[in-house]
Structure formats: structure tokens, C-alpha cells
Amino acid sequence: MTNKTNRLYKTLMLAALIAAHFSCARSASTDSLKESFEDDFLIGTALNADQINEHDGATDSLIKEQFNAITAENIMKTEVIHPAWDKFDFDLADRFVAYGQKNNMYIVGHTLIWHSQLPPFVQAIKSVDSIRQFMDKHIHTVAERYAGSVDSWDVVNEALNEDGSWRESIFFQLLGEQYILDAFELAAKAAPEAELYYNDYNIEQPKKRAGAIKLVQKLQQAGLRIDGIGIQGHWNINDLPLIAIEESVVEYAKMGLKVAITELDLGVLPNPWNLQGADVNQQFEGNSRMNPYVKQLPDSVSTKLADAYEELFRLFLKHRDKISRVTFWGVNDGHSWLNDWPIPGRTNYPLLFDRCNRPKDAFHRIVDLKKEHSK
């Protein structure tokens, strides 16, 4: 390469870097979600490993500016934190808790007992005694380590099928319904100061809601503590179930439970084959029809997303006496799991901040809604 060519190459590279920087420059915002809704409910987000380690300064600044609650997206799940029978890995979980404490945030542990993302040694368990020993060891070790630090635990995650029946997980197969009682009893002993939640998707839908109500009643009748229920909130702008959500918030609150919206995102893409739920194990092959907005979201769809978020937060504000927290499942669109689920490689736009951490119309719409609500 000649000197002239080399200089030209460097100039072009510098221009490209400058263009990339300015194309992703954050627009200044005087509004903060956590401050806007501070009298109503906590505003949370899920953190991945890079965010816990503060690798991206712009994203880190956004998290601290906008959110006062954090949930461990994956690093407290069993396959990460308890990879072998006698081995625990607390490195990222410790960093997550330290991040929350340093920034005075409400800290959510996610999750103690879940049928998915289990390490091989749990999947291989065949006996009742062994699964009991695992649950005892896992919950006692993990929850007790963070007792007084983690404010809330999703004790059991996704124990129900869509019709409200029990999911045939390894825990249910070996212990039956008793595993739910055991999990909450163990969690209450290990972390007596933490709030204890049951967390699931689609439990705003009537049949699954009925199953969740029976699950809660079973715990309450056994004299066990359950403080709240987490409605995951993986919804779509083309089919937002507002009536069912409101009915569920009211019904769960009547049982003496706090209601948290725990994993909120609003998908904007076509729903493949009328898929229901948010089972991470479901995968489908894609095509261009299922990934229509590769480069950017059309204004018409962006407006529809903003409309949906405004309607949703109008409902949340109406029932702010019942709702303890609203947690978004990701910081910005680029961090969303919906980019790869249920079809790998799709480009989705389900959150309030774009891939450059810039607030979208949906952000401004709900902040303005709160300002109107406060007048």
C-alpha cells in the first residue's frame, strides 16, 4: 500500500468512525423514567453480563439515569450459578448485586427454581431424594448468600402450562405439586427479608390465570409466604390483551399479593404460526416475511408501538396501588432476546430505547402521560 493510499484509507476509516459515532449519538433527555414514576412503582431493567461489568459507558449511563430496579437476566440461573453438584460460581452474581447496591437500586434475583437452563447434572437426576437434596442445597446456598442484599426473588419460574395445568418439569415429575411448597418454604428460611414471587408468562390469560390462582392458594393454605406475583409482560402490539391484564392485576391483588410486571417488552414483528407464550426452547425457521424491518422500523409501526405503551401505562397508573414494579426485559432494542426468539436473527424493536440508547416515541409518550396524570 502506497503512502498516498494509506493516508486515503485512514481518512476514509476515520470518516466512517465519525459517521458511526454521530449516527448513534444519544439525544439529550431531561426526563427519567424512575423519577417520572417514583410515586407510582419501581422502574426496572434486566442486565446482561456486559452491563453488569460496565463495558459500555453509554449504556451504563442510561441504566443509572433511567432505572431504579435491576433483574439478573441470565447469570443467576442454575446453569450459570450452580454448574455442578458441588460447584457454585458466584462471580457475576456478586458483581450484579454490587452494581445494584452501589447505585441504590432494588435488586431482583432471577430465578431459584426453573425447568429451563438447567445444568446437565440436574437434568440427569432420577430419584426423589436427589431432587430434594438439590433443591435444598441450591436454594439454601444461593438465597442465603444474598440474604439482606437481594430485595426480591423469583422463587419459582414458569411452573404452568397454557391451560393452567402443571408443567411436566423434572421437579413436578419427581415431587409433584409439593415442589412448589418446598421451594417457597426453603426460600423463606434462607432469605427471610426478601420478597418472594411466583413469576410466569401469559398468567393474565383466563385459563392460566386460574392455574396461577390455585398455585397461590395452595401456598397460602399451607401457611407459606408468597408476597407477590410476576406477570412477565411479553406481549405484542398487534394483540395487546389490556382487558385480561387489568382483570389479572385486580384478581391477584385481591389475594393480598403485590403485582409486578417483570419482563416487559412489546414485540412488533409478525407472530409465527400464532405462537403463544414465551417458552425459550421454541425455535422456528425464518423467512423474509417474518423479518420485515431489517434496517429500521417504519413510522407507522413506531406510532403503533407508542400507542400500545401509552395504553399499557395508562392501565398501570390506574392500578398503581396494586403494582409494585414495572421491569423492562432489556435496556435497549439491541439487547432484547426477541431479536433471536422464536426465529434466530430477526430484528425486533420492543423497548423504549433504540439500539443507540436514544429514547423512542414510546418513551416520550409514557413520560408525557405521567405528566398529564399528575396535573
Side-chain angles (χ1 to χ4, degrees):
M1 183 180 291
T2 66
N3 289 338
K4 183 177 181 180
T5 303
N6 188 43
R7 286 196 301 271
L8 178 61
Y9 174 76
K10 289 182 177 179
T11 300
L12 291 172
M13 287 298 294
L14 179 60
L17 288 171
I18 292 172
H21 171 76
F22 281 107
S23 68
C24 229
R26 276 190 62 197
S27 57
S29 173
T30 58
D31 292 312
S32 165
L33 291 171
K34 67 180 182 182
E35 293 172 3
S36 296
F37 295 95
E38 63 182 345
D39 295 328
D40 307 304
F41 33 71
L42 293 167
I43 297 288
T45 189
L47 299 188
N48 61 32
D50 283 343
Q51 292 156 358
I52 292 164
N53 287 317
E54 302 179 68
H55 287 165
D56 182 341
T59 300
D60 187 55
S61 296
L62 181 70
I63 294 166
K64 294 170 182 176
E65 172 189 280
Q66 297 292 333
F67 304 104
N68 52 16
I70 54 172
T71 299
E73 183 181 22
N74 284 302
I75 55 90
M76 282 183 157
K77 291 172 181 173
T78 308
E79 67 178 359
V80 176
I81 207 169
H82 191 176
W85 185 272
D86 290 318
K87 180 182 178 182
F88 288 85
D89 185 349
F90 294 114
D91 179 57
L92 281 172
D94 285 353
R95 291 170 186 260
F96 166 74
V97 171
Y99 184 99
Q101 291 176 324
K102 178 177 67 174
N103 295 296
N104 194 31
M105 294 169 162
Y106 182 91
I107 301 170
V108 181
H110 178 78
T111 172
L112 290 172
I113 298 297
W114 188 32
H115 68 275
S116 189
Q117 293 181 237
L118 291 170
F121 85 90
V122 179
Q123 297 172 3
I125 290 175
K126 302 297 183 185
S127 74
V128 171
D129 286 345
S130 293
I131 201 71
R132 285 189 190 280
Q133 288 177 36
F134 161 73
M135 287 182 60
D136 192 312
K137 183 182 186 73
H138 180 75
I139 294 175
H140 174 81
T141 304
V142 176
E144 189 175 81
R145 181 181 183 88
Y146 300 111
S149 300
V150 166
D151 297 294
S152 173
W153 277 105
D154 291 336
V155 179
V156 176
N157 196 51
E158 300 174 3
L160 299 173
N161 294 314
E162 295 307 299
D163 63 357
S165 63
W166 294 94
R167 181 190 293 273
E168 290 283 337
S169 67
I170 186 173
F171 304 102
F172 183 80
Q173 289 172 4
L174 293 174
L175 297 174
E177 299 175 16
Q178 183 63 36
Y179 92 87
I180 297 287
L181 305 181
D182 292 346
F184 275 86
E185 183 174 14
L186 289 166
K189 290 178 180 177
E193 297 176 11
E195 294 185 317
L196 307 181
Y197 276 70
Y198 172 70
N199 189 58
D200 210 335
Y201 59 84
N202 280 1
I203 51 172
E204 75 283 348
Q205 296 299 326
K207 289 183 179 180
K208 199 166 185 179
R209 182 200 313 159
I213 288 172
K214 289 180 181 178
L215 184 156
V216 171
Q217 289 173 334
K218 189 173 186 67
L219 288 164
Q220 292 177 334
Q221 290 166 2
L224 296 171
R225 179 165 66 90
I226 175 171
D227 300 296
I229 196 150
I231 302 174
Q232 287 187 9
H234 296 300
W235 297 310
N236 193 287
I237 62 171
N238 299 308
D239 187 25
L240 187 60
L242 287 170
I243 294 175
I245 295 167
E246 181 168 25
E247 290 174 347
S248 297
V249 170
V250 171
E251 286 299 311
Y252 292 137
K254 283 181 181 178
M255 303 182 76
L257 300 174
K258 294 181 178 181
V259 180
I261 309 300
T262 55
E263 304 184 18
L264 180 59
D265 45 35
L266 299 184
V268 302
L269 301 183
N271 184 356
W273 305 282
N274 295 317
L275 173 68
Q276 292 186 347
D279 189 332
V280 296
N281 297 308
Q282 295 181 97
Q283 291 285 306
F284 299 94
E285 291 186 7
N287 56 53
S288 58
R289 187 173 64 85
M290 289 295 169
N291 192 25
Y293 315 127
V294 176
K295 294 184 179 180
Q296 65 181 15
L297 196 64
D299 289 344
S300 60
V301 184
S302 180
T303 298
K304 192 171 182 178
L305 176 69
D307 290 344
Y309 267 116
E310 182 178 359
E311 291 180 44
L312 198 53
F313 270 77
R314 192 182 303 278
L315 189 158
F316 294 163
L317 286 171
K318 178 181 177 182
H319 295 287
R320 63 181 185 166
D321 60 322
K322 306 173 185 68
I323 294 173
S324 59
R325 171 171 48 93
V326 176
T327 289
F328 294 88
W329 208 238
V331 178
N332 72 36
D333 287 341
H335 302 141
S336 174
W337 72 298
L338 290 176
N339 292 305
D340 292 304
W341 183 91
I343 297 172
R346 291 207 298 179
T347 305
N348 214 323
Y349 305 80
L351 299 170
L352 298 184
F353 298 93
D354 69 15
R355 284 166 169 75
C356 294
N357 288 320
R358 293 174 299 212
K360 295 155 65 174
D361 289 344
F363 170 89
H364 296 296
R365 196 79 75 79
I366 66 170
V367 169
D368 289 345
L369 172 69
K370 173 57 185 176
K371 291 175 182 178
E372 288 281 330
H373 194 269
S374 298
K375 288 181 180 179

